[in-house]
Amino acid sequence: MSVVIVGATGHLGRLVVEELLERGTPAERIVGGGGEKEGMAGVAGWGVGAARIDLDDPATLAPAFEGAAALLLVSTSEPGRRVPQHRAAVEAAAAAGTGHIVYTSAPRADDTPLVLAPDHKATEELLAASGIAHTVLRNNWYSENYLPQLEQARATGAFLGSAGRGRVPSASRRDFAAAAAVVLADPAAHAGAVYELTGDTAWTHDELAATLADVLGRDVVYKDLSTAEHTAALVGAGLDAETAAFVAALDGNIRDGALGEPTGDLRRLIGRPSTPLADTLRESA
């Protein structure tokens, strides 16, 4: 009975495969799925199974899901296409007799103003209606999301945003991958669970500036803008208007407290503290 990783060629999926191997799941029980030939060659190089899984091509799904004891559905990244892609995966898993689905969702997806949450809420509802045993991992922000701010601070000594004094309980991508691996290794023990996964510490953007200053060894200032000013600055930096508005809206959500506070769920699942923000940033400094 295999463990299938949908999105194994992505940043998180690759780490989940590594974590499963490190935690003792036999390589022959792991199937890494993705749509990119180059990425799939890398997956096969780890000694695990590799399957073409294209969520826009349902014909690729049933053969990959057949006989799977557990399946990790790493949420896709394209608003507007995400729900149909996820629906295709859930329907194919049901048809193939997949035993359990683990889904990477968004913080407080069923009750939040977070602009990216509706697609995740819809997917959680698809899972609830599917009849398949499942576990929801509501991943909070990855600390790696702030590597662009690291580079901006390195170059200019400042970075921009509109998050105000909002707090971000981030953790490293490796931490979230470890949580997924724990659940995939024993899915029955987590059936029906919804985990709000956060780092152990919630920080403000002023505290991010102080952390960046420590990591880079130079003064760093956070320049807080209004949402309109932030959007205009992003457009001026080259983003299209729609993407700029989306990014600024996320900062507005942070300002309004949408990411919440540390829950302890991640620490309990992985059996260790989450990785400090400074450690993640320092790896790329």
Side-chain angles (χ1 to χ4, degrees):
M1 299 291 283
S2 60
V3 177
V4 178
I5 312 301
V6 179
T9 58
H11 294 299
L12 181 66
R14 288 174 180 272
L15 292 175
V16 174
V17 173
E18 292 178 8
E19 286 285 334
L20 284 168
L21 292 169
E22 290 175 8
R23 291 167 182 270
T25 300
E28 61 269 20
R29 286 194 57 224
I30 303 171
V31 176
E36 300 176 5
K37 290 183 179 179
E38 297 81 2
M40 294 313 300
V43 170
W46 303 333
V48 305
R52 181 170 177 262
I53 296 177
D54 183 347
L55 296 182
D56 292 316
D57 182 2
T60 68
L61 306 184
F65 296 171
E66 192 71 38
L71 181 153
L72 175 66
L73 176 57
V74 177
S75 58
T76 60
S77 59
E78 298 178 67
R81 296 178 62 193
R82 186 182 284 133
V83 175
Q85 290 172 331
H86 293 172
R87 179 181 293 108
V90 172
E91 290 176 351
T98 298
H100 196 109
I101 297 177
V102 180
Y103 174 62
T104 61
S105 190
R108 302 188 292 181
D110 60 346
D111 182 25
T112 179
L114 197 63
V115 292
L116 54 71
D119 285 355
H120 295 286
K121 180 176 184 289
T123 302
E124 291 187 17
E125 291 169 350
L126 288 171
L127 287 169
S130 71
I132 304 173
H134 59 277
T135 306
V136 175
L137 306 178
R138 290 178 174 169
N139 290 354
N140 212 287
W141 259 218
Y142 302 148
S143 295
E144 288 87 346
N145 291 355
Y146 292 90
L147 295 182
Q149 283 79 357
L150 172 71
E151 295 308 318
Q152 190 177 11
R154 189 201 309 276
T156 68
F159 65 97
L160 307 177
S162 53
R165 298 288 298 170
R167 298 172 66 78
V168 181
S170 71
S172 73
R173 192 176 277 115
R174 172 72 71 177
D175 294 338
F176 291 112
V182 167
V183 175
L184 290 165
D186 188 9
H190 304 278
V194 177
Y195 294 113
E196 293 284 353
L197 301 182
T198 72
D200 295 336
T201 302
W203 44 265
T204 67
H205 278 53
D206 285 330
E207 290 167 333
L208 171 60
T211 301
L212 288 169
D214 181 62
V215 167
L216 294 171
R218 63 166 301 171
D219 291 340
V220 176
V221 175
Y222 168 56
K223 297 181 179 179
D224 193 53
L225 308 175
S226 70
T227 297
E229 291 169 336
H230 190 194
T231 303
L234 292 169
V235 170
L239 287 186
D240 64 89
E242 183 177 1
T243 302
F246 182 77
V247 171
L250 286 175
D251 260 21
N253 289 151
I254 293 170
R255 181 186 62 235
D256 296 338
L259 295 189
E261 293 291 333
T263 65
D265 282 0
L266 179 59
R267 173 194 281 261
R268 286 187 288 270
L269 269 181
I270 65 179
R272 60 168 174 80
S274 65
T275 304
L277 173 66
D279 290 359
T280 299
L281 296 174
R282 195 169 282 115
E283 287 180 4
S284 298

